Amino acid sequence: MGSADRIIRLVIAAVLAFLFYNGTITGTLGIVAVVAAGVFALTSLVSFCPLYPLLGINTCSVKK
């Protein structure tokens, strides 16, 4: 996972978490948003998205 991808995921996670805790999104949609934010943050921190290899996506400019 590339650094731009990681940063975008962290920003999306922060926005979703803020919208939930601010009360902008509530109920089932709020719970889904918090779970999505957690997944985005976790995959960003470990630099690995399990869907990318399955879909053949590579956002890292350096090949391992």
Side-chain angles (χ1 to χ4, degrees):
M1 180 180 298
S3 60
D5 191 6
R6 293 177 65 198
I7 292 169
I8 291 169
R9 285 172 178 265
L10 282 176
V11 168
I12 291 172
V15 168
L16 289 175
F18 173 77
L19 290 175
F20 177 75
Y21 291 113
N22 189 28
T24 304
I25 50 178
T26 59
T28 304
L29 181 60
I31 293 169
V32 170
V34 168
V35 170
V39 169
F40 282 153
L42 181 65
T43 57
S44 177
L45 293 175
V46 298
S47 299
F48 179 73
C49 179
L51 291 177
Y52 280 7
L54 295 174
L55 299 174
I57 299 172
N58 183 10
T59 61
C60 185
S61 60
V62 178
K63 298 205 180 216
K64 293 182 180 180

